[in-house]
Amino acid sequence: MKAGRKLGSVPANKFPSELPELAGRRFGKLRVISGEVLRHKGRAMLMIECDCGVQSVKSHSSVTGLTAGCRAC
């Protein structure tokens, strides 16, 4: 019997590299452009677009927690 996880499994504390169910979903004024999860300094980031047309990258937790906003508007 081997110890540890099965080969190829993802640890519970590891964020997935893609969230296709978020693509096109709206959070307030922001819409998630793609389900691809970008990494920046260990944080999960999403590509978003505001109603005013500005595209940017925001952290997953701030977008889904409705604390992210657009600096332009």
Side-chain angles (χ1 to χ4, degrees):
M1 182 171 213
K2 290 185 175 183
R5 296 185 177 278
K6 290 181 185 178
L7 184 63
S9 66
V10 178
N13 64 347
K14 189 80 168 170
F15 208 82
S17 61
E18 239 181 88
L19 295 170
E21 67 274 7
L22 287 182
R25 190 161 169 206
R26 296 191 68 78
F27 295 92
K29 289 183 165 186
L30 307 177
R31 181 180 59 88
V32 178
I33 296 173
S34 105
E36 182 183 1
V37 176
L38 309 169
R39 303 280 179 193
H40 180 69
K41 296 183 181 180
R43 298 190 70 180
M45 309 291 277
L46 298 172
M47 186 69 159
I48 57 103
E49 181 177 28
C50 181
D51 287 344
C52 68
V54 174
Q55 294 182 357
S56 63
V57 178
K58 303 280 185 186
S59 74
H60 173 269
S61 59
S62 65
V63 171
T64 57
L66 299 175
T67 58
C70 174
R71 290 187 179 268
C73 63

